[in-house]
Amino acid sequence: MKARSAAAPYMLWSAIFIIIPLVLVAISAFTAGEGGFTLANFKDSVEFAPVIFNSIWLSMIATAICLIIAYPLAYIISRQSAVGQRTMIMLIMLPMWINFLLTTYAWMTLLEENGLINKFFGLLGLGPFELINTQGAVVLGMVYNYLPFMILPIYSVMVKVDHLLIEAAHDLGCNPRDTMKNVVLPLSMPGVTTGIIMVFVPSVSTFVISRMLGGGSFMLIGDLIEMQFLGNTYNPELGSAISMVLMVIILICMALTDIFQDAEEKEGLLL
């Protein structure tokens, strides 16, 4: 009874700010412009399939890059002393304390035709290169802004891996590669799956990064939804339907990562 009472504020918060808005979005998605039930909004959302697939593709690329960078970095941090770990984690979290728009504006300054990166290439007799208003710039913005969300979950799991397990693997004849594959990787999979979800979800739904670093040339799902609610093509019912499609995509991705994690855990038990 006490546990239920303690959870009451959280349940109330969830109902007001999560459940009720989701219900309203779902109702709007199945409502025609003049009122009444309809599936036309979902039918119309099929026209934007290229935008949806492009959003998923760019988000997958950004997530993969974050994982490639974050995994070895998280492992290195977890093997440091306590002071070294705190220092490196603070440095990783430092960009998160800066306003999201300011960091994105900073990348615009760096990537523009007369930016610092092109000026550096100019000193080498190269360029100028078209760095901004490209899909690569959008992916770069995603990686920079969401990389900490990949590092921190992996680090939080790796730091709990007992050093004795690694030493035991070495004593039993495992080389560093086999130790990483058979010991560290299976134990770190919960952090990996959490990091993938925490990076993929905001990446696939972002619209600020694509607008500022992509110049509006590469529309993502977030841009599309915003246009339906705030743009000239005002159509909140269609925007709600696209939001529901995005929600289904995210739930499918989360389910796939859970299945993959369960398979890895079973394989680890067999080993």
Side-chain angles (χ1 to χ4, degrees):
M1 192 67 181
K2 291 182 179 179
R4 292 183 180 180
S5 300
Y10 172 77
M11 298 299 294
L12 180 62
W13 178 277
S14 299
I16 295 176
F17 295 103
I18 299 177
I19 298 175
I20 293 177
L22 288 178
V23 171
L24 294 176
V25 170
I27 293 173
S28 179
F30 289 99
T31 303
E34 63 279 0
F37 178 83
T38 183
L39 294 175
N41 296 321
F42 291 94
K43 182 179 178 181
D44 294 339
S45 66
V46 176
E47 300 178 7
F48 303 102
V51 176
I52 296 175
F53 288 129
N54 189 49
S55 300
I56 296 174
W57 174 244
L58 293 181
S59 301
M60 290 175 62
I61 294 175
T63 303
I65 295 174
C66 285
L67 179 58
I68 293 172
I69 298 174
Y71 195 88
L73 184 56
Y75 179 79
I76 293 172
I77 296 174
S78 67
R79 301 300 100 180
Q80 303 298 315
S81 64
V83 176
Q85 290 181 30
R86 288 194 294 268
T87 302
M88 296 183 73
I89 290 298
M90 184 189 69
L91 293 175
I92 290 171
M93 295 182 64
L94 191 61
M96 300 174 64
W97 301 342
I98 303 173
N99 184 274
F100 184 87
L101 289 176
L102 290 179
T103 57
T104 308
Y105 273 121
W107 275 110
M108 290 177 64
T109 304
L110 292 172
L111 296 175
E112 63 186 6
E113 185 175 351
N114 296 321
L116 294 178
I117 295 177
N118 269 320
K119 286 182 179 180
F120 173 76
F121 284 126
L123 296 176
L124 302 177
L126 302 173
F129 299 103
E130 186 178 355
L131 301 176
I132 200 168
N133 300 335
T134 62
Q135 291 190 358
V138 175
V139 172
L140 176 62
M142 293 178 180
V143 171
Y144 175 80
N145 285 288
Y146 303 130
L147 181 60
F149 296 102
M150 182 70 76
I151 296 175
L152 296 177
I154 299 176
Y155 161 77
S156 65
V157 173
M158 280 190 172
V159 76
K160 298 175 184 177
V161 176
D162 196 337
H163 289 266
L164 296 177
L165 293 175
I166 299 176
E167 293 178 3
H170 291 162
D171 292 340
L172 292 173
C174 286
N175 56 39
R177 185 182 65 180
D178 291 337
T179 301
M180 179 65 68
K181 176 183 177 183
N182 298 321
V183 178
V184 178
L185 182 59
L187 293 175
S188 63
M189 284 310 299
V192 171
T193 53
T194 301
I196 290 174
I197 293 173
M198 292 182 67
V199 172
F200 180 81
V201 171
S203 296
V204 76
S205 58
T206 186
F207 62 92
V208 174
I209 295 175
S210 57
R211 178 186 299 172
M212 297 176 66
L213 298 181
S217 303
F218 305 99
M219 184 179 296
L220 302 183
I221 300 179
D223 302 296
L224 189 59
I225 294 173
E226 188 204 21
M227 285 177 56
Q228 308 307 317
F229 286 96
L230 301 176
N232 295 328
T233 59
Y234 181 76
N235 191 340
E237 291 79 18
L238 178 58
S240 299
I242 300 173
S243 300
M244 294 294 293
V245 172
L246 175 59
M247 190 183 308
V248 170
I249 292 172
I250 292 174
L251 291 176
I252 291 174
C253 293
M254 293 176 65
L256 291 176
T257 53
D258 287 340
I259 292 173
F260 180 75
Q261 179 179 343
D262 292 340
E264 287 288 337
E265 290 177 353
K266 291 179 181 179
E267 183 179 351
L269 290 174
L270 291 175
L271 292 173

